[in-house]
Amino acid sequence: MAAFVVSPLKMGPLLVLWLAGCLSGTWAVDRGNFKTCDQSAFCKRQRALKPGQSPYRALLETLELTNTKLTLQLINDNNKVRLLLELYRLQGNMTRVKINELKPLKPRFEVPDVLINDPPTEPLSLLSRDENGVVLSLGADSQRLIVSAKPFRLDIMEGREVLLSLNSRGLLAFEHLRIRKDTQASQQFEIAKEDEKVEDGMWEETFKSHTDSKPNGPSSISLDFSLPGVENVYGIPEHADSLKLKATDGGDPYRLFNLDVFQYEVFNPMALYGAIPVMLSHSAQRTMGIFWLNAAETWVDISSNTGSSETPQTDVRWISESGIIDVFIMLGPTPTDVFSQYASLTGTQAFPPLSALAYHQCRWNYNDQEDVAAVDQGFDDHDIPYDFIWLDIEHTDGKRYFTWDPHKFPQPKDMLQGLLDKRRKMVTIVDPHIKVDSSYKIHNEIRSKGFYVKSKDGGDYEGWCWPGNSGYPDFTNPEMRAWWASMFAYDQYEGSMENMYTWNDMNEPSVFNGPEVTMHKDALHGNWENRDLHNLYGLYVQRATAEGLIERSGGVERPFVLARAFFAGSQRYGAVWTGDNAAEWEHLKISIPMCLSLGLVGVSFCGADVGGFFKSPSTELLVRWYQTGAYQPFFRAHAHLDTPRREPWLFGPENTALIREAVRQRYALLPYWYQLFYHAHHSGQPVMRPLWVEYPQDTATFSMDDQFLLGRDLLVHPVTEEGARGVTAYLPGKGEVWFDVHTFQKHNGAQNLYIPVTISSIPVFQRGGSIISRKARVRRSSSCMEHDPYTLFVALSPKRFAQGELYIDDGHTFNFDKQKQFIHRRFSFANNALSSRNLAPGSQFTTFSWVEKIVILGASKPSKATLKTPDGKESQLEFEFDASMSVLTLRKPGVNAGLDWTVVLQ
């Protein structure tokens, strides 16, 4: 929840008084609270450098080549400061480039805990060398890495084609650590010989009322990348902007700096809650990726010559406040290759419990146990399924996390047991700011163990947040994380049970009275400033919490943790959402590119607050948001404390029915969602993906972000325009066909299809050539549907072929991984026969579910349908054929979903 729309119920009088000066009376972002590039001293300095001749030169005589890397010194001819370049050829068609000071005054920060291992290397071989540079082989496909000496430049080539260039515009800039000239220490050290110009903001910087002491002085870094032949770049979330990134000429760069931004604006490069410094480039010929491994405040400039008569080219410049240059160049060449390459570096999406893919009901706040029970019963009374009900900060005892309000929630286990009896679950909020209160056990333990972040002066760093004066645990400390994880044990977190999970909000971290509503950059995490690692903090909070949920079950149960702030690698620990949006049509629309952008850089488990967090949606907007959210990975309704209640049945029976239908569509499709997340966990492929991922040569798809694919086989075009009477969906694939999942109408691919819509319409299409499993018997929760039967929807291609999968496990433990307890089936339709075969012969799992119906779209009428099983038995199946729609329905095959079988049509 955002920092600046606050009910007086939330906090004590001192904090209310302090915040009164911050409230504008309107719910809109106050841009003045957040820096522009011109107000960020290092960004302004770096951006003042214009493209041109680079002062950096490669000292070829220092070149060393080993089995694992090449090292080479660079010198800045202006100030004679030397840098060390390290080049690695990594397995999987990637190149790593590291640049650091050769002899820094003190170590510079290098990001830990994001890479899942030390990336395995392959040998670089020297092809040629002269006084102008060296040429190295990158192995396959005649790929070469060319190092030019003066000025220093790197080019990666394939054949005669330049794939990517570094420092081709001369914007490599590395502010070396130095002794401040006006200090006594500067007389005792030899420092760089140039007449260094001291600019405002190099050694101290003030923004509004906050001063950043900058004890290490200027330390920023910059590097430019040129992408010949590229017009489309994507990624670098989180921004409320289009999927295809825009040129930043004439405006601010895209900013990556985790911040609590109050009701953010759309179509804006401002920083938001999370930061993943990964950009993908795409053309009809190739997809590539750039992973800039730096956790400091970062700005990304994009320029393009699109529209000129020249060969298309996109130029990208990364600027970070501190740390080193550590960049991974993922050379694809396909979108799938780039996803696999990035997953090999930072890991894949955590495989969530099946129930976490169902519907979540939340608001700030459900008032007490009676309120929770009433809402729970309301879903049953109105026949709407849900799996999780959520409690925001008001459930605690005075904003002391890991506690319960003794008056409102006196018997939390009774409440949780009531939910468990219906096979439902709860999420409670645990934020990473701790009330400074000597009677609060959590605070006392953190303070006594020295686990709080420190101020620049060495005392515990304190700031204002929901509890009032708060301390901030140092989650960068592994001992602190281990202690935090231990607090989720059932005997530590009083009132918790196995059906209670966790939500980490405010983990940017949010500091109401801090600069830009966050922590001071000169706060200390051990030996490092917050400046160096700011964007990592949220990842560490979510990691520690997820590890706590795993440990409390003895390593058996999969966790579910939602977090607002994130970084590269956060996908390993749970879900994220798009933060404090508003009940506006533009916010509904922007949820699609925001989640698509996250999926491209590893984070598949993404959603937006259904209905909008701030303000009150019209009934039409609320219905359309449910219809959209039902087809996004994380499906949760949430609302601000000061908005009217908006449980799904409060808007009249007609709207209740529309919302019910959207939620039921989600539940029927859970087998497909679960299969997609299984693949995301194993391969890093996004669950929700832009059309160009599957149709990489179709230029019509490159900037589309109002429709999307779920896996390969479902295309969704939500209705996101107020009063819409129709939408135009693009159905890709020349020679392909798509079937409307509601009417079974067949449409040809490679066309723009106008679809008349009513308030009940959710345009969704299944790709011809696919087989999708659903569960038609929707019950009160996903767990209640565990043993229910499957219906297979077989959508035939023009060549009368189709293929699909089914994945089944227990839905909640790690047994699928540790003990290979799962079922993974391949369905194939060819030569008028539909078969099921085992994709995982080494696995062991049994299911009570069976196949109760098979619906074949684009079929011909058979004379008979015969079910054959491996024991030699044959049986005739009943069927119906709708000649007008070419739909064949096979009834009651009755075969277990985990067994081999074949249905032959004659």
Side-chain angles (χ1 to χ4, degrees):
M1 64 196 69
F4 290 128
V5 170
V6 185
S7 164
L9 298 174
K10 302 284 288 190
M11 58 198 62
L14 279 177
L15 190 51
V16 172
L17 187 64
W18 178 83
L19 282 169
C22 302
L23 300 179
S24 63
T26 58
W27 286 357
V29 67
D30 181 356
R31 291 194 189 194
N33 282 325
F34 305 102
K35 290 182 180 179
T36 63
C37 179
D38 270 352
Q39 294 168 317
S40 179
F42 79 91
C43 184
K44 184 177 181 179
R45 283 198 307 277
Q46 290 279 11
R47 224 182 183 200
L49 299 175
K50 300 304 179 188
Q53 185 86 346
S54 175
Y56 288 95
R57 173 167 53 93
L59 300 173
L60 296 179
E61 66 275 14
T62 66
L63 185 147
E64 294 184 16
L65 184 61
T66 68
N67 280 339
T68 58
K69 67 180 178 181
L70 175 147
T71 59
L72 180 65
Q73 291 181 29
L74 310 177
I75 189 168
N76 183 330
D77 282 330
N78 290 343
N79 61 18
K80 309 308 178 190
V81 172
R82 292 194 181 196
L83 305 178
L84 180 65
L85 168 72
E86 299 175 71
L87 294 176
Y88 302 80
R89 175 186 165 204
L90 302 183
Q91 288 181 15
N93 204 21
M94 294 181 285
T95 299
R96 185 180 191 179
V97 180
K98 291 181 75 173
I99 303 176
N100 197 354
E101 292 184 58
L102 179 64
K103 295 180 179 179
L105 280 179
K106 56 172 24 177
R108 296 179 68 115
F109 186 72
E110 299 187 38
V111 176
D113 299 321
V114 168
L115 302 178
I116 55 174
N117 53 37
D118 196 13
T121 60
E122 294 183 334
L124 282 163
S125 56
L126 188 64
L127 296 179
S128 65
R129 174 177 180 172
D130 60 23
E131 69 276 7
N132 297 315
V134 296
V135 181
L136 301 155
S137 171
L138 290 176
D141 300 325
S142 65
Q143 285 182 355
R144 301 185 310 286
L145 177 61
I146 300 172
V147 183
S148 301
K150 185 177 182 180
F152 165 67
R153 168 177 171 153
L154 293 178
D155 293 279
I156 296 177
M157 300 189 69
E158 187 170 278
R160 296 184 176 181
E161 179 188 2
V162 177
L163 301 181
L164 178 142
S165 302
L166 283 71
N167 202 36
S168 61
R169 294 189 298 147
L171 293 172
L172 167 62
F174 209 103
E175 293 185 330
H176 60 281
L177 299 178
R178 64 202 77 179
I179 301 297
R180 189 168 184 170
K181 285 191 170 185
D182 58 1
T183 64
Q184 187 175 0
S186 67
Q187 312 303 317
Q188 302 170 19
F189 290 87
E190 181 181 351
I191 60 174
K193 304 295 191 296
E194 85 283 11
D195 181 19
E196 291 174 337
K197 179 183 176 185
V198 177
E199 300 179 32
D200 287 346
M202 291 177 71
W203 292 93
E204 187 175 272
E205 182 175 359
T206 299
F207 178 67
K208 301 188 79 170
S209 61
H210 300 283
T211 298
D212 176 7
S213 64
K214 295 195 173 181
N216 295 316
S219 59
S220 67
I221 54 175
S222 165
L223 183 60
D224 64 275
F225 300 78
S226 295
L227 299 159
V230 169
E231 297 181 68
N232 306 280
V233 289
Y234 312 90
I236 57 169
E238 184 178 34
H239 300 97
D241 207 351
S242 55
L243 174 66
K244 178 182 173 180
L245 297 171
K246 301 182 177 79
T248 57
D249 307 312
D252 256 12
Y254 285 98
R255 190 184 188 199
L256 295 171
F257 189 57
N258 293 359
L259 293 172
D260 179 357
V261 180
F262 167 88
Q263 198 193 321
Y264 51 85
E265 295 179 3
V266 300
F267 301 114
N268 192 307
M270 288 175 65
L272 289 179
Y273 311 97
I276 300 182
V278 178
M279 180 182 289
L280 273 64
S281 68
H282 179 71
S283 69
Q285 289 72 44
R286 178 180 289 266
T287 308
M288 296 188 295
I290 298 170
F291 174 25
W292 178 266
L293 182 52
N294 189 295
E297 179 185 345
T298 297
W299 300 78
V300 185
D301 253 328
I302 300 169
S303 57
S304 173
N305 65 356
T306 303
S308 72
S309 58
E310 304 171 53
T311 302
Q313 177 165 310
T314 296
D315 297 313
V316 180
R317 183 186 185 193
W318 299 75
I319 303 169
S320 292
E321 184 173 13
S322 65
I324 68 166
I325 292 172
D326 190 0
V327 61
F328 296 82
I329 299 163
M330 300 170 281
L331 293 172
T334 69
T336 296
D337 291 330
V338 173
F339 301 142
S340 298
Q341 288 158 357
Y342 181 63
S344 75
L345 297 172
T346 67
T348 60
Q349 175 66 56
F351 191 27
L354 174 59
S355 57
L357 301 178
Y359 174 62
H360 301 252
Q361 182 67 32
C362 184
R363 79 171 274 112
W364 171 24
N365 203 92
Y366 287 119
N367 299 325
D368 49 33
Q369 286 182 213
E370 291 71 27
D371 197 8
V372 169
V375 172
D376 174 70
Q377 187 58 44
F379 277 89
D380 291 339
D381 292 344
H382 296 89
D383 195 24
I384 301 173
Y386 89 96
D387 270 63
F388 283 83
I389 190 165
W390 292 52
L391 295 180
D392 210 320
I393 58 177
E394 309 303 331
H395 84 277
T396 62
D397 181 7
K399 316 301 182 295
R400 297 169 181 86
Y401 304 109
F402 299 100
T403 70
W404 303 85
D405 185 306
H407 305 292
K408 297 177 180 177
F409 295 92
Q411 301 294 334
K413 284 194 173 182
D414 290 351
M415 174 179 62
L416 286 163
Q417 186 62 49
L419 294 171
L420 188 61
D421 291 344
K422 294 183 177 182
R423 305 189 73 178
R424 288 176 174 149
K425 300 171 177 66
M426 174 171 276
V427 170
T428 57
I429 198 165
V430 179
D431 284 350
H433 49 260
I434 302 301
K435 184 178 179 68
V436 175
D437 174 1
S438 60
S439 65
Y440 179 25
K441 181 187 81 167
I442 297 290
H443 163 70
N444 289 338
E445 289 204 30
I446 296 174
R447 174 161 285 179
S448 68
K449 294 175 185 292
F451 284 163
Y452 277 126
V453 175
K454 305 302 180 187
S455 69
K456 65 178 180 179
D457 301 318
D460 288 347
Y461 177 89
E462 294 181 0
W464 289 93
C465 210
W466 296 129
N469 196 33
S470 303
Y472 290 79
D474 184 1
F475 286 89
T476 71
N477 180 347
E479 293 181 15
M480 164 61 211
R481 293 199 301 272
W483 176 85
W484 180 267
S486 74
M487 290 298 100
F488 289 91
Y490 297 123
D491 61 353
Q492 293 292 328
Y493 192 162
E494 189 175 343
S496 64
M497 288 175 51
E498 63 273 14
N499 64 328
M500 196 179 91
Y501 297 80
T502 308
W503 169 21
N504 297 143
D505 198 0
M506 318 297 282
N507 60 323
E508 294 76 26
S510 180
V511 184
F512 291 170
N513 61 337
E516 301 193 88
V517 203
T518 194
M519 188 173 284
H520 292 70
K521 286 182 175 179
D522 53 11
L524 294 171
H525 305 257
N527 294 324
W528 299 106
E529 290 186 284
N530 182 264
R531 169 186 343 276
D532 301 311
L533 51 80
H534 176 88
N535 290 342
L536 268 177
Y537 189 86
L539 175 147
Y540 279 132
V541 175
Q542 189 176 22
R543 171 181 171 173
T545 302
E547 289 172 348
L549 296 191
I550 294 169
E551 288 172 14
R552 74 178 187 179
S553 71
V556 173
E557 297 289 330
R558 286 177 247 164
F560 170 69
V561 181
L562 179 74
R564 190 170 69 178
F566 49 83
F567 189 66
S570 285
Q571 68 269 13
R572 305 196 297 263
Y573 305 115
V576 305
W577 90 107
T578 63
D580 296 336
N581 58 4
E584 297 172 354
W585 288 93
E586 290 299 309
H587 278 259
L588 168 59
K589 293 173 193 174
I590 210 72
S591 70
I592 298 173
M594 289 182 78
C595 280
L596 286 173
S597 296
L598 280 159
L600 289 175
V601 297
V603 181
S604 273
F605 207 177
C606 166
D609 286 346
V610 169
F613 178 67
F614 290 115
K615 305 185 180 179
S616 297
S618 66
T619 53
E620 181 191 5
L621 176 57
L622 183 65
V623 167
R624 290 302 192 199
W625 214 317
Y626 268 97
Q627 293 170 343
T628 303
Y631 287 91
Q632 292 178 342
F634 177 55
F635 185 24
R636 180 186 76 152
H638 187 35
H640 189 277
L641 181 75
D642 293 333
T643 62
R645 295 287 285 253
R646 61 167 92 133
E647 283 72 47
W649 51 87
L650 297 179
F651 302 89
E654 291 183 4
N655 291 305
T656 300
L658 291 166
I659 293 171
R660 177 190 301 116
E661 174 58 22
V663 176
R664 289 175 66 88
Q665 286 186 32
R666 172 58 164 240
Y667 275 73
L669 201 56
L670 282 174
Y672 184 63
W673 280 107
Y674 200 48
Q675 170 197 319
L676 293 179
F677 269 89
Y678 176 74
H679 281 292
H681 176 64
H682 272 270
S683 68
Q685 307 304 305
V687 168
M688 177 181 174
R689 55 188 78 158
L691 272 63
W692 61 258
V693 166
E694 296 298 333
Y695 298 88
Q697 294 180 307
D698 187 345
T699 56
T701 67
F702 290 178
S703 59
M704 282 184 182
D705 59 13
D706 59 353
Q707 61 181 69
F708 53 90
L709 293 168
L710 296 177
R712 290 183 60 205
D713 298 334
L714 281 185
L715 185 150
V716 186
H717 190 308
V719 182
T720 59
E721 292 284 347
E722 185 174 12
R725 296 187 176 182
V727 299
T728 299
Y730 180 71
L731 303 181
K734 188 174 182 180
E736 294 195 28
V737 294
W738 294 85
F739 294 87
D740 186 313
V741 301
H742 309 297
T743 67
F744 302 147
Q745 180 74 42
K746 182 168 73 173
H747 302 280
N748 291 325
Q751 67 156 322
N752 286 300
L753 178 70
Y754 180 77
I755 308 157
V757 298
T758 67
I759 190 61
S760 65
S761 303
I762 315 176
V764 182
F765 300 87
Q766 183 174 342
R767 186 180 61 83
S770 66
I771 301 173
I772 288 178
S773 304
R774 297 174 183 258
K775 286 194 172 184
R777 305 184 188 186
V778 175
R779 304 185 190 274
R780 62 159 52 118
S781 74
S782 64
S783 297
C784 293
M785 299 165 60
E786 179 182 1
H787 302 305
D788 282 348
Y790 293 91
T791 297
L792 307 184
F793 286 83
V794 182
L796 297 183
S797 71
K799 295 182 179 180
R800 298 184 58 75
F801 173 82
Q803 202 167 66
E805 295 179 20
L806 175 63
Y807 176 83
I808 308 171
D809 62 18
D810 63 24
H812 59 96
T813 75
F814 286 106
N815 291 348
F816 76 94
D817 185 41
K818 295 177 178 177
Q819 301 176 23
K820 305 302 176 191
Q821 292 186 5
F822 62 90
I823 292 167
H824 195 189
R825 309 293 302 180
R826 164 83 75 202
F827 300 127
S828 299
F829 185 99
N831 302 316
N832 279 332
L834 174 64
S835 62
S836 171
R837 67 179 181 86
N838 192 358
L839 279 176
S843 66
Q844 294 184 341
F845 191 71
T846 55
T847 178
F848 294 106
S849 297
W850 69 101
V851 179
E852 71 170 344
K853 188 161 66 173
I854 300 168
V855 181
I856 304 177
L857 313 180
S860 303
K861 184 177 182 179
S863 58
K864 63 178 180 178
T866 306
L867 172 67
K868 299 181 178 182
T869 52
D871 58 7
K873 293 182 179 178
E874 296 187 4
S875 57
Q876 302 304 309
L877 299 181
E878 300 175 14
F879 64 84
E880 298 170 3
F881 183 71
D882 181 343
S884 67
M885 300 300 291
S886 299
V887 176
L888 174 66
T889 303
L890 307 175
R891 300 199 176 277
K892 300 180 182 178
V895 63
N896 187 280
L899 299 180
D900 290 351
W901 51 266
T902 303
V903 172
V904 179
L905 305 179
Q906 293 173 304

